[in-house]
Amino acid sequence: MNNPNYTERVVIITGGSSGIGRGCAEQFVKAGAKVMICCNDDDEGTAVRATLQVIADEQGCGLADFIYCDVTKTDDVQNLIETTIARHGRLDCLINNAGWHPPHKPIDDFTVQEFRDLLELNLVSIFTASKFALPYLRQTRGNIINMSSLVATIGQYHATTYVATKGAITAFTKALAVDEAPNGVRVNSVSPGNIFTPLWQEAIDAAADPDKYRLEGEAAQLLGRMGGAEEVGRLCLFIAAEATFTTGVDHIISGGAELGYAQKSLNGKVANVELALTRT
């Protein structure tokens, strides 16, 4: 499948050196864009930039760039935006992808400070990057894509802090879309379900039965597998390049994980479905 064309457009992707962010970066480079990735690991970011640049060189268009940025620090985010403009002269798309999912535990075991720190990383960083990028996005009538999550709408066990940040991202996206429509800037969100990333692999490796853990993760989707980071990247590229009448929309990419009935009780009572059916 051919990628939509995004030649010579300038894109910033936070958290662009791994997982979904890297998947997005690869798709935008393949579409001919100039892609600025940022992360808080110089070595990783530099290595990924070099890999992406090979793709650009081989196809004869596109460009990969990297700058260190801790998205929880306002000065770092402002420098990310200003450096991108200084190097590349414009900004067409901002993908707010940086974030983290803490280990699962009940609300009793989270500290208030842990929640505040996660809000800074997952939510406030999106506000900050959007605020500083918008003066330039208004000039190009560009767009913002915020990475939310499927669990923002369906919830998740022992993940109150994470779900709260992602729900806020979806709401923020809609509010900003309302404000920026008169300026020609589209604002959308993407809500992935189970996407196979290095974080998922870490969880598999740490499980008591890694093979079973992975199979359970794959079985959570109607399509019987986890998604790939490149699939999320292709969705983001479509939103940026082709979905020009779309704003304020949350795009779920989940393989159907949220559809259909399932046994969900956590009170220890599991229905005997076969017996119930024979009695009706």
Side-chain angles (χ1 to χ4, degrees), residues 2-242:
N2 292 328
N3 275 327
N5 189 298
Y6 218 54
T7 304
E8 296 301 310
R9 303 290 181 87
V10 178
V11 183
I12 292 175
I13 304 174
T14 67
S17 64
S18 66
I20 289 173
R22 180 169 179 170
C24 290
E26 289 178 357
Q27 296 304 313
F28 276 85
V29 167
K30 288 178 180 178
K34 297 178 180 178
V35 178
M36 172 71 85
I37 62 170
C38 80
C39 70
N40 61 354
D41 184 324
D42 266 321
D43 291 339
E44 181 177 86
T46 300
V48 172
R49 187 216 67 82
T51 300
L52 294 172
Q53 189 58 46
V54 169
I55 296 173
D57 292 342
E58 288 178 348
Q59 66 188 16
C61 65
L63 180 145
D65 203 352
F66 164 70
I67 185 171
Y68 176 93
C69 179
D70 178 344
V71 296
T72 66
K73 296 181 178 177
T74 301
D75 289 346
D76 276 18
V77 176
Q78 190 166 14
N79 181 60
L80 165 67
I81 305 300
E82 298 300 332
T83 300
T84 300
I85 297 301
R87 292 181 184 177
H88 305 297
R90 60 184 288 155
L91 180 60
D92 297 276
C93 179
L94 167 67
I95 300 180
N96 285 309
N97 168 75
W100 183 62
H101 193 315
H104 294 267
K105 54 187 179 181
I107 190 171
D108 311 77
D109 296 341
F110 282 108
T111 67
V112 173
Q113 190 59 49
E114 284 175 331
F115 186 29
R116 287 188 173 128
D117 290 343
L118 194 66
L119 284 166
E120 286 286 340
L121 174 58
N122 286 7
L123 178 62
V124 178
S125 68
I126 289 179
F127 173 92
T128 307
S130 299
K131 173 182 173 64
F132 291 127
L134 274 166
Y136 304 105
L137 291 170
R138 290 166 186 153
Q139 293 174 16
T140 60
R141 300 178 73 83
N143 70 102
I144 296 172
I145 301 171
N146 296 321
M147 204 59 64
S148 185
S149 172
L150 174 64
V151 301
T153 54
I154 68 172
Q156 188 179 37
Y157 184 63
H158 281 176
T160 50
T161 60
Y162 179 78
V163 170
T165 65
K166 292 300 182 175
I169 289 169
T170 303
F172 171 77
T173 297
K174 294 179 183 298
L176 190 59
V178 172
D179 288 354
E180 290 304 318
N183 299 317
V185 177
R186 295 181 297 113
V187 188
N188 291 285
S189 59
V190 169
S191 284
N194 282 327
I195 306 299
F196 189 73
T197 64
L199 285 177
W200 240 110
Q201 186 61 59
E202 287 178 14
I204 291 170
D205 293 340
D209 187 338
D211 290 339
K212 180 182 178 183
Y213 192 82
R214 175 161 185 163
L215 286 172
E216 289 174 347
E218 292 173 341
Q221 288 68 238
L222 288 179
L223 296 184
R225 65 176 179 86
M226 291 188 232
E230 74 282 357
E231 292 176 298
V232 182
R234 287 199 294 268
L235 174 58
C236 289
L237 177 58
F238 172 77
I239 294 168
E242 302 288 341

Side-chain angles (χ1 to χ4, degrees), residues 263 270-280:
Q263 291 185 343
V270 179
N272 188 326
V273 178
E274 183 177 357
L275 180 59
L277 289 173
T278 62
R279 289 180 175 176
T280 57

